[in-house]
Amino acid sequence: MRNVLVFAFFALFNGMFAQNSIRPTVDLGYVTYLGNRTYPNTVAYLGIPYAEPPVGHLRFRATVPLNTTRVGEEANLNGEGVVNATYYPDFCIQGTTGAGDAGGAGSEDCLTVNVYSPYGAQEGDNLPVLFYIHGGGYIYGNPRSWPFDSWINQSPNVVIVAVYYRLGSFGFLATPEFADTTHGDFNAGFKDQIQALKWVKSYIRKFGGDPTKVTINGQSAGGNSVELHMIANEDEQLFSAAIAQSVFRTPLPTPEQQQPLFQFYASYAGCRTGSVAEQMTCLRGASVSALARAQDAAAQKFCLPYPRQPFPQLTGGSSGSYNLFRPVMDGMLITGHPTSKFQRNEFAHVPLIIGATSNETLSSGTNISLTLQEFFPSLTNTDIREFLLLYPVDEFDSSSQQFQVATGEPEVICSCQAMGGPSSRHSNTWTYRYNTPNPTSGTDAVSHSADNWMMFDGTDTGFNGSMTFTSQTPAELAFASELIAYWLSFVRTGNPNTYKLEKSPVWEQYTELNPVRMVLMQDPQNLTTVSGSYMERQPVAEAARCAFVISKAQACEN
């Protein structure tokens, strides 16, 4: 009898081991990928190409759809059969943050996605999809800094896709001559995002996803990307809902305004002379290191260092942020400033969550006038004086708080009203104020990207695609779970309340007549069973200031 029991135990053990050691794969029809089972219920397929490598003659050009025949043939020629997708891919070439670091790390061959899915998910499951666009000012950022394994582990009923897209000069070089696409293409990095969404539409079913139920989500420059997707002339419907976190309200320049940056960049890279066609031939033949040094030199020439988060600012009011590589108003894909298009009802009517942190600002310093002029170069002296009248120092606790609010509202915070108000007339809309500091920041201020630390395993981005992760306390983990539950409930149903945690308060909808928002906050007593979040009404003074900011959309060019 004892031998029978021993045999039964080992048979059960071996069966469990075999089941747990099954290697998850996904067959896309043209190639099969091997994923990494990061939790018992979670698989990460990392570095899956969605487009042709933008190298050689494809450098500075619009995204080219993936040649699936080539991918399949290469897998067979290599004798792999199944392509390993269990490790993070090369990230896109980074620019300098302006904090004394050099950019240049990464690879041009970076147009890939990371796909996180429940273990065992298969075609026909029709799980809703979250498509995440990282921030970093369109200059830097590595999706490895924002992993989603724990999100799937918490809620194994969604599929999540994180996109790598071209950054800096590689993604956003612009000069008026690009109107002739034989020279180059405007907004290549943004077009990468569009092509990745098209790849999702074609293949996410294989991972168990539903291509008709895709929520786009991004923070900072990723939030600005969400805003641009909502107003861009995309040739097909690629998403059904949106989450915009801390939208980076950067000016959207014309190609003509970017021409001085193009000429400086080309000259520094050794491509000073000749026609634009000759300069582009030279730039396509230049080494990555030469181009990386050129884009860093542009930042050093035009930008001031900033301490930690997250964007360099520019000196010289006449130069301003036209000397940063950003999306441009190309007249074809992007035909107007986002804020103005929202006010004119020229945007995608989809359910929306939008919010910002309590103490947002993308600037440092003390001079409000100079900072606004640097961030929004087309503001006139009259515009600046009108801005200053809105922020008298006696209405704030300190001059530093005055500076933070006077710069943070037009740079980030007022996106909640600029986008949320028009959205609420057509679709269910929710807004929030994130109110828990990043504990590694050394300050009580709830600064830009504090929500990223909480939602992504204690992450802080570093230089050149690097990052650090800090372990989280039980109270922090509980708060992170609350945030993830709201987000993924919205992804699943278009409503953050349907699958919220039981302890979490009901998140009331935002309307222009009832401008309420959720204050997302860790429990002050660090209890894990109690929510610290609560509803509040947008302050009347903030609403009035943001109404003025919105009225200046043409001058601010955002």
Side-chain angles (χ1 to χ4, degrees):
M1 181 64 179
R2 179 176 178 275
N3 290 338
V4 171
L5 291 174
V6 170
F7 175 82
F9 171 81
F10 277 105
L12 177 62
F13 177 85
N14 288 334
M16 291 173 61
F17 180 81
Q19 182 179 2
N20 289 333
S21 62
I22 292 174
R23 308 179 79 193
T25 59
V26 59
D27 182 356
L28 300 186
Y30 59 91
V31 73
T32 297
Y33 287 104
L34 171 67
N36 186 29
R37 193 171 177 184
T38 54
Y39 287 95
N41 63 353
T42 305
V43 180
Y45 298 94
L46 305 174
I48 298 179
Y50 63 83
E52 287 298 284
V55 300
H57 71 283
L58 295 182
R59 180 185 280 175
F60 307 122
R61 296 195 185 278
T63 329
V64 175
L66 185 68
N67 184 338
T68 55
T69 300
R70 173 188 62 78
V71 173
E73 289 176 348
E74 289 179 355
N76 291 329
L77 285 174
N78 293 334
E80 296 173 351
V82 176
V83 177
N84 188 356
T86 64
Y87 54 89
Y88 281 103
D90 290 334
F91 49 86
C92 294
I93 295 167
Q94 307 285 290
T96 178
T97 68
D101 60 306
S107 169
E108 278 191 281
D109 186 2
C110 65
L111 300 188
T112 62
V113 290
N114 299 330
V115 182
Y116 303 84
S117 66
Y119 179 73
Q122 58 189 340
E123 188 169 5
D125 288 347
N126 292 324
L127 301 175
V129 179
L130 175 67
F131 181 92
Y132 189 77
I133 308 165
H134 71 76
Y138 298 108
I139 295 170
Y140 65 92
N142 176 2
R144 187 173 184 173
S145 300
W146 303 283
F148 283 97
D149 311 76
S150 62
W151 290 45
I152 300 293
N153 182 49
Q154 176 175 325
S155 183
N157 34 46
V158 297
V159 175
I160 301 177
V161 180
V163 63
Y164 295 73
Y165 59 96
R166 282 173 284 179
L167 304 167
S169 63
F170 295 87
F172 297 97
L173 188 67
T175 186
E177 288 78 4
F178 282 8
D180 178 353
T181 57
T182 60
H183 300 310
D185 289 282
F186 298 120
N187 298 316
F190 184 68
K191 290 173 180 175
D192 292 344
Q193 298 175 16
I194 294 174
Q195 184 56 42
L197 282 165
K198 290 180 177 180
W199 181 91
V200 166
K201 189 172 184 178
S202 296
Y203 296 105
I204 205 64
R205 288 187 181 89
K206 302 293 186 178
F207 298 87
D210 183 348
T212 68
K213 197 169 185 179
V214 176
T215 298
I216 55 174
N217 179 196
Q219 186 268 346
S220 196
N224 179 248
S225 294
V226 169
E227 181 183 37
L228 291 179
H229 283 291
M230 293 182 74
I231 59 97
N233 290 330
E234 298 177 1
D235 57 5
E236 56 186 290
Q237 184 175 351
L238 297 171
F239 59 92
S240 56
I243 305 173
Q245 299 175 234
S246 298
V247 174
F248 175 32
R249 303 187 73 244
T250 181
L252 201 67
T254 64
E256 288 75 17
Q257 290 168 325
Q258 291 292 84
Q259 191 172 33
L261 176 60
F262 171 84
Q263 289 298 341
F264 177 88
Y265 172 80
S267 297
Y268 199 95
C271 303
R272 178 189 300 270
T273 60
S275 65
V276 168
E278 292 168 326
Q279 287 180 295
M280 292 307 298
T281 298
C282 176
L283 288 171
R284 289 194 175 94
S287 67
V288 168
S289 59
L291 299 181
R293 286 194 297 269
Q295 68 181 12
D296 283 3
Q300 293 161 8
K301 177 179 176 61
F302 298 119
C303 301
L304 290 170
Y306 60 90
R308 191 164 184 275
Q309 292 284 354
F311 306 110
Q313 297 308 323
L314 308 178
T315 60
S318 62
S319 297
S321 49
Y322 303 138
N323 289 303
L324 295 176
F325 297 104
R326 291 291 143 78
V328 298
M329 194 160 60
D330 57 23
M332 296 293 291
L333 180 62
I334 302 174
T335 59
H337 298 119
T339 299
S340 297
K341 289 183 78 70
F342 265 84
Q343 309 319 302
R344 295 196 301 264
N345 191 29
E346 298 173 4
F347 64 95
H349 297 164
V350 297
L352 174 68
I353 289 177
I354 184 167
T357 69
S358 293
N359 306 122
E360 295 273 14
T361 181
L362 304 180
S363 300
S364 60
T366 58
N367 189 319
I368 297 171
S369 299
L370 178 60
T371 299
L372 290 175
Q373 183 72 72
E374 290 169 346
F375 200 95
F376 304 113
S378 290
L379 289 179
T380 66
N381 290 334
T382 299
D383 293 327
I384 297 295
R385 285 193 294 269
E386 291 175 352
F387 265 100
L388 292 178
L389 289 174
L390 290 175
Y391 300 94
V393 67
D394 57 4
E395 291 189 6
F396 299 93
D397 295 337
S398 64
S399 59
S400 61
Q401 186 194 45
Q402 177 199 26
F403 178 90
Q404 177 262 304
V405 177
T407 57
E409 285 185 348
E411 293 173 359
V412 181
I413 292 171
C414 289
S415 61
C416 300
Q417 188 168 323
M419 295 171 62
S423 173
S424 68
R425 300 169 204 160
H426 305 279
S427 308
N428 295 338
T429 299
W430 291 265
T431 67
Y432 69 86
R433 176 169 67 88
Y434 181 84
N435 196 43
T436 297
N438 177 343
T440 69
S441 66
T443 175
D444 291 333
V446 187
S447 303
H448 192 68
S449 300
D451 47 344
N452 276 351
W453 188 91
M454 192 64 66
M455 299 175 84
F456 294 103
D457 303 333
T459 185
D460 283 305
T461 57
F463 299 147
N464 257 329
S466 64
M467 75 292 298
T468 58
F469 291 94
T470 304
S471 60
Q472 296 179 304
T473 66
E476 289 163 351
L477 290 169
F479 180 44
S481 295
E482 182 177 8
L483 297 171
I484 292 168
Y486 275 134
W487 258 236
L488 293 186
S489 175
F490 181 79
V491 171
R492 294 172 67 185
T493 67
N495 188 322
N497 296 300
T498 310
Y499 295 105
K500 70 177 182 63
L501 299 188
E502 186 176 352
K503 68 178 181 181
S504 300
V506 171
W507 192 340
E508 299 174 38
Q509 286 184 216
Y510 170 96
T511 68
E512 291 174 302
L513 293 177
N514 188 33
V516 292
R517 62 193 180 194
M518 178 67 77
V519 179
L520 295 167
M521 184 172 172
Q522 184 177 324
D523 174 62
Q525 297 184 4
N526 293 325
L527 299 176
T528 60
T529 57
V530 177
S531 173
S533 300
Y534 60 92
M535 295 298 302
E536 71 175 11
R537 190 176 179 88
Q538 181 189 19
V540 173
E542 178 187 307
R545 293 192 300 261
C546 283
F548 172 79
V549 168
I550 292 166
S551 77
K552 291 294 183 180
Q554 291 300 317
C556 291
E557 299 180 298
N558 61 12

